[in-house]
Amino acid sequence: MDMVLGIDVGGTSIKAGLFTPEGELLEERKIPTPALVSEAAYATVTGGIARILAAHDAVPEDVIACGLDIPGPVADDGTVGFLPNIQLDPEGLVSAVSSVFPRATVAFVNDANAAALGEMWAGVATEVSSYVLIALGTGVGGGVVANGKLVAGAFGAGGEIGHITVNREEPLTCGCGRHGCLEQYASAKGIVRLYLDECARRGVTPVEVEHATDTLSVFRALAGGDECARIAVQQMCDYLAQAMAQISCVVDPAMYLIGGGVAGAFATFAPELRERFSAYALPTCKDVRIEAASLGNRAAMYGCAYEALRLRGESVG
Ligand SMILES: [Zn+2]
């Protein structure tokens, strides 16, 4: 019985999903791990997965593909770039996984790129060959799929939509060291900042925000008629629509999928986003579909499993 693994590698834990080759998720389990740089840590991961397999009457030899999604750049050829946010030795992890699951094709995929691929396997993009996923979360990530293939890029920066420049006048510095990136306005942090800035500009007291990424309070204020929240969300949509209009000139996708935590409020801001996009876009592509992503925080787990399965298909012929 063939099985596929999708392993979501985070800072303090990994989430492992066991799939059928058809894309049915059989089980997912969180495995707390120390830094993934030692044999003991690898054994914690592979041991945890072996137990999931056993619960489904499967053995390690049944695993034909194993995808690992990581928060960092992965180039078209699978090379892993610099990982600022997690401790991980890619080569060590691959050799540990390969020795426990001897039949498995192993693949690393950037997490936002993986989320895009997941939508093709089991989400809303199963019928679409060219689309772009934009994940609005703590940061802004993205994944570009063109003609059914992920565009990871020569340096692994394919889909770094969050760092498209949308405001050359921005004095604040982005995490990438540049200024005026989309992420500074359309991430959860960006939306909260736009709201607080608008309140300060008007000299009104903002609603209480619990933390720097508390968009829930901003959208709740918007629902309650808060004018500053309305302006903040308009600005967010404006910057996002500008970036999407540029992307369309390069990739011309059939569909945009909006994912990440902020997409919980998609129904609220979608009309504004669609309107601004069609105002900015090249007329040829102004009627593109703009929808919410469907797999939530499981998308990347699905997508890396799918990519490993596809790689296997290519190597088998
Ligand atoms: Zn940036």
Side-chain angles (χ1 to χ4, degrees):
M1 165 176 45
D2 288 346
M3 294 282 180
V4 182
L5 292 170
I7 303 180
D8 191 272
V9 181
T12 53
S13 70
I14 69 156
K15 197 167 61 179
L18 179 66
F19 297 89
T20 66
E22 289 73 41
E24 186 195 347
L25 177 61
L26 299 172
E27 186 174 341
E28 66 172 292
R29 202 179 286 186
K30 229 178 193 177
I31 304 169
T33 51
L36 287 169
V37 291
S38 68
E39 294 299 330
Y42 306 145
T44 306
V45 176
T46 53
I49 294 167
R51 280 191 291 279
I52 304 176
L53 287 167
H56 291 268
D57 297 324
V59 293
E61 287 73 17
D62 290 328
V63 178
I64 55 168
C66 174
L68 301 138
D69 74 77
I70 54 173
V74 182
D76 277 328
D77 64 0
T79 312
V80 176
F82 175 62
L83 302 170
N85 300 321
I86 55 165
Q87 274 192 288
L88 168 72
D89 168 18
E91 283 168 23
L93 183 57
V94 168
S95 73
V97 167
S98 301
S99 69
V100 177
F101 308 111
R103 288 177 66 213
T105 301
V106 182
F108 281 105
V109 190
N110 163 269
D111 52 5
N113 286 348
L117 285 175
E119 297 288 343
M120 193 199 306
W121 198 26
V124 290
T126 52
E127 309 284 317
V128 184
S129 62
S130 294
Y131 62 95
V132 173
L133 177 129
I134 304 178
L136 309 176
T138 314
V140 172
V144 175
V145 174
N147 300 327
K149 281 206 82 171
L150 181 70
V151 180
F155 305 100
E160 285 292 350
I161 290 164
H163 300 288
I164 289 177
T165 306
V166 289
N167 176 14
R168 292 166 63 95
E169 312 298 319
E170 176 62 60
L172 295 176
T173 309
C174 177
C176 71
R178 294 146 74 238
H179 296 265
C181 293
L182 176 64
E183 180 165 295
Q184 292 183 279
Y185 313 99
S187 63
K189 200 172 161 185
I191 294 165
V192 171
R193 185 175 66 82
L194 287 173
Y195 172 64
L196 295 177
D197 283 358
E198 185 62 19
C199 291
R201 203 175 66 79
R202 295 181 180 221
V204 301
T205 309
V207 297
E208 194 176 328
V209 292
E210 287 175 23
H211 45 82
T213 59
D214 179 17
T215 53
L216 203 64
S217 294
V218 177
F219 282 106
R220 210 180 282 140
L222 174 68
D226 187 313
E227 183 61 13
C228 295
R230 192 179 67 79
I231 298 290
V233 173
Q234 266 183 3
Q235 288 174 329
M236 180 277 269
C237 288
D238 193 79
Y239 286 124
L240 181 54
Q242 279 188 53
M244 287 161 61
Q246 309 309 317
I247 295 166
S248 277
C249 290
V250 182
V251 189
D252 189 18
M255 181 165 75
Y256 285 97
L257 291 174
I258 308 297
V262 177
F266 180 74
T268 306
F269 64 79
E272 179 86 26
L273 180 62
R274 290 193 179 108
E275 194 184 311
R276 303 230 164 193
F277 176 82
S278 66
Y280 293 139
L282 194 68
T284 321
C285 36
K286 74 177 176 48
D287 293 324
V288 67
R289 286 168 62 193
I290 302 174
E291 310 287 347
S294 66
L295 296 174
N297 61 12
R298 293 192 177 91
M301 200 174 72
Y302 272 89
C304 67
Y306 185 45
E307 181 66 358
L309 189 61
R310 279 162 30 115
L311 264 183
R312 177 189 173 79
E314 281 174 18
S315 64
V316 170

